[in-house]
C-alpha cells in the first residue's frame, strides 16, 4: 500500500550513469513520481547498443520503484534544421536511434529541441525540421512520440515562439506523433512572462489559440538566471531566479497542469540536496487532498 498523487506529479531529470535502471532507483530515493532520462550520452551522436540485459534491468527497476511516468530527452547535438547535409543526416540517424531506444524502454515520448536554422531564416529552418520529421517517422514504427520543446530562442534556435511550435504541429504529415514540452525558464527567456497567476493564464490563453493545450505532455520547472526576454537558457533553482517562487506555486495548484508530468532540470547540489528539498517543498503545495491510497 502506498500513497500516490492524483495530480501534479513531479520529478527530476535523473542520470543514467551505471545503467538506465540506475536513474529509476535514484528517482525513487529523491521522491520522484516522474523521471526524465537521456537514452545515451547526450553529447555524443551514437551510444553503445542497448542490451537485452539492460532493458530487462530497466523494466525490473520500473516495476520495483513503481515510477510509471518515465520519458526521454534527446541528445544536444541533434539539429533537425541544419543546412549542412552531413550534420543533418547525422542528426536524423541519431534521433532515429534514440527513438528505437525509447521503444525498447517503453517510453511514451522523447523531448527534443526543434532545431537551429543557422542563419538560413526561420521559414527555411522550419521546413527542414518538417522534412526531417518525415524522414524519421517513415523509418520508425514504434509508438514513442516526439515532444518538441519550447526554447529560449537563443541564437538561431527555433521554438522560442508558440507560432513555431504550432507551425510544426499543424503542417507535419505526422502531427499525431508530435507533442509539446514546455519549460518555464525557456518561456520566460523567450519573452513570455510567468511571474504571476495572471501571466500564466495569459500564456495558456495565447498557447490555446494556436494549439490544443492537451498537446502539452511535459512541463520542465526551472527558474531563470536571465531576465524576461533575455534569450538565455540558464536554469536557476526555483524561487532563486528572475521568475520567482509564485510561478511554481501557481502551477502546482492550477488545473491546467494537473495531468501534465512536471520535471525539474535545476542545479542538483551536493548529493542532489537541491532536488530533494525542492521536491519536498513542491509536494507540500499540492496538499494531502490530492493523495490517494493505492493498494
Ligand atoms: Zn531541453
Ligand atoms: Zn527543458
Amino acid at each position: 500500500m502506498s500513497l500516490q498523487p492524483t495530480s501534479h506529479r513531479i520529478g527530476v531529470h535523473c542520470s543514467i550513469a551505471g545503467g538506465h535502471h540506475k536513474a529509476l532507483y535514484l528517482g525513487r530515493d529523491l521522491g520522484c513520481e516522474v523521471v526524465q532520462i537521456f537514452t545515451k550520452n547526450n553529447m555524443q551522436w551514437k551510444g553503445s547498443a542497448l542490451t537485452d540485459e539492460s532493458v530487462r534491468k530497466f523494466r525490473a527497476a520500473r516495476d520495483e520503484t513503481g515510477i510509471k511516468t518515465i520519458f526521454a530527452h534527446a541528445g544536444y547535438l541533434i539539429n533537425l534544421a541544419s543546412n549542412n547535409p552531413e550534420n543533418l543526416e547525422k542528426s536524423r540517424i541519431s534521433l532515429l536511434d534514440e527513438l528505437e531506444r525509447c521503444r525498447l524502454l517503453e517510453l511514451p515520448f522523447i523531448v527534443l529541441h526543434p532545431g537551429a536554422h543557422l542563419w538560413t531564416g526561420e521559414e527555411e529552418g522550419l521546413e527542414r525540421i518538417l522534412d526531417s520529421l518525415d524522414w524519421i517517422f517513415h523509418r520508425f514504427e514504434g509508438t514513442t512520440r516526439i515532444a518538441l520543446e519550447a526554447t529560449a530562442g537563443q541564437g538561431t534556435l527555433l521554438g522560442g515562439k508558440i507560432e513555431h511550435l504550432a507551425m510544426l504541429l499543424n503542417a507535419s504529415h505526422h502531427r499525431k506523433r508530435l507533442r509539446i514540452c514546455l519549460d518555464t525558464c525557456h518561456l520566460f527567456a523567450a519573452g513570455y512572462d510567468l511571474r504571476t497567476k495572471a501571466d500564466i493564464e495569459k500564456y495558456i490563453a495565447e498557447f490555446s489559440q494556436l494549439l490544443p493545450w492537451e498537446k502539452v505532455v511535459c512541463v520542465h520547472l526551472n527558474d531563470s538566471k536571465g531576465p524576461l526576454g533575455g534569450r538565455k537558457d540558464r536554469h536557476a533553482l526555483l524561487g532563486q531566479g528572475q521568475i520567482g517562487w509564485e510561478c511554481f506555486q501557481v502551477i502546482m495548484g492550477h488545473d491546467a497542469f494537473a495531468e501534465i508530468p512536471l520535471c525539474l532540470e535545476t542545479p542538483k547540489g551536493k548529493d542532489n540536496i537541491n532536488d530533494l528539498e525542492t521536491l519536498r517543498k513542491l509536494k507540500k503545495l499540492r496538499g494531502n487532498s490530492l493523495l490517494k491510497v493505492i493498494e
Side-chain angles (χ1 to χ4, degrees):
M1 198 181 83
S2 68
L3 280 174
Q4 301 264 330
T6 55
S7 75
H8 299 87
R9 286 160 298 143
I10 49 176
V12 305
H13 182 101
C14 289
S15 165
I16 56 164
H20 293 71
H21 60 292
K22 291 280 177 82
L24 302 184
Y25 292 117
L26 172 63
R28 178 191 59 188
D29 294 346
L30 295 174
C32 293
E33 299 140 1
V34 166
V35 166
Q36 175 178 277
I37 58 170
F38 291 124
T39 68
K40 56 166 195 47
N41 182 322
N42 63 314
M43 294 307 287
Q44 288 175 7
W45 289 110
K46 226 174 137 28
S48 46
L50 263 180
T51 61
D52 290 349
E53 172 75 358
S54 49
V55 172
R56 195 189 55 72
K57 279 186 176 167
F58 183 81
R59 291 182 185 173
R62 189 185 55 195
D63 294 343
E64 205 182 319
T65 59
I67 300 173
K68 293 189 179 65
T69 309
I70 312 161
F71 48 87
H73 192 299
Y76 290 159
L77 300 179
I78 295 171
N79 180 9
L80 296 189
S82 178
N83 60 339
N84 173 321
E86 196 188 325
N87 197 276
L88 185 64
E89 168 141 339
K90 272 188 181 171
S91 295
R92 290 171 171 183
I93 291 171
S94 187
L95 184 57
L96 183 58
D97 171 64
E98 291 215 42
L99 279 164
E100 281 300 335
R101 290 163 184 272
C102 290
R103 186 178 64 78
L104 290 170
L105 299 173
E106 300 176 331
L107 307 184
F109 60 87
I110 182 163
V111 175
L112 173 76
H113 301 170
H117 65 70
L118 308 173
W119 311 109
T120 59
E122 289 187 359
E123 210 169 307
E124 211 181 300
L126 290 167
E127 287 297 335
R128 269 196 300 272
I129 296 172
L130 287 173
D131 288 346
S132 296
L133 292 171
D134 282 348
W135 188 97
I136 286 157
F137 283 129
H138 281 140
R139 287 161 180 79
F140 178 63
E141 291 184 344
T143 56
T144 303
R145 317 281 198 228
I146 293 176
L148 299 169
E149 184 172 6
T151 66
Q154 69 273 37
T156 65
L157 202 56
L158 295 158
K161 297 178 190 157
I162 305 170
E163 284 80 359
H164 293 165
L165 303 172
M167 186 278 185
L168 291 169
L169 261 76
N170 292 330
S172 175
H173 298 121
H174 303 278
R175 57 197 297 186
K176 290 198 176 125
R177 304 170 84 176
L178 295 173
R179 296 290 184 274
I180 298 291
C181 169
L182 300 177
D183 180 310
T184 51
C185 170
H186 298 175
L187 296 183
F188 187 75
Y192 297 103
D193 205 348
L194 302 169
R195 284 176 287 198
T196 66
K197 182 152 197 280
D199 295 328
I200 292 172
E201 297 292 1
K202 187 170 166 235
Y203 178 78
I204 295 171
E206 261 182 67
F207 184 100
S208 304
Q209 281 191 342
L210 296 174
L211 281 171
W213 184 250
E214 294 67 43
K215 285 284 180 188
V216 180
V217 289
C218 172
V219 177
H220 292 155
L221 299 184
N222 303 309
D223 209 325
S224 169
K225 286 190 178 157
L228 175 67
R231 293 187 160 215
K232 281 209 166 55
D233 182 5
R234 294 187 60 210
H235 300 184
L237 291 177
L238 308 195
Q240 294 187 25
Q242 303 281 322
I243 301 177
W245 182 249
E246 187 179 342
C247 165
F248 306 103
Q249 201 167 351
V250 170
I251 287 176
M252 289 306 287
H254 198 298
D255 283 351
F257 300 90
E259 301 297 325
I260 304 173
L262 307 168
C263 179
L264 302 174
E265 296 176 319
T266 48
K268 291 178 172 296
K270 191 171 185 292
D271 299 327
N272 306 300
I273 184 73
N274 297 337
D275 282 348
L276 272 166
E277 285 181 358
T278 310
L279 287 177
R280 225 176 272 154
K281 270 168 81 180
L282 289 172
K283 283 181 185 175
K284 275 192 197 145
L285 293 174
R286 198 168 54 191
N288 288 331
S289 59
L290 294 172
L291 294 175
K292 74 173 177 203
V293 177
I294 305 288
E295 297 286 341

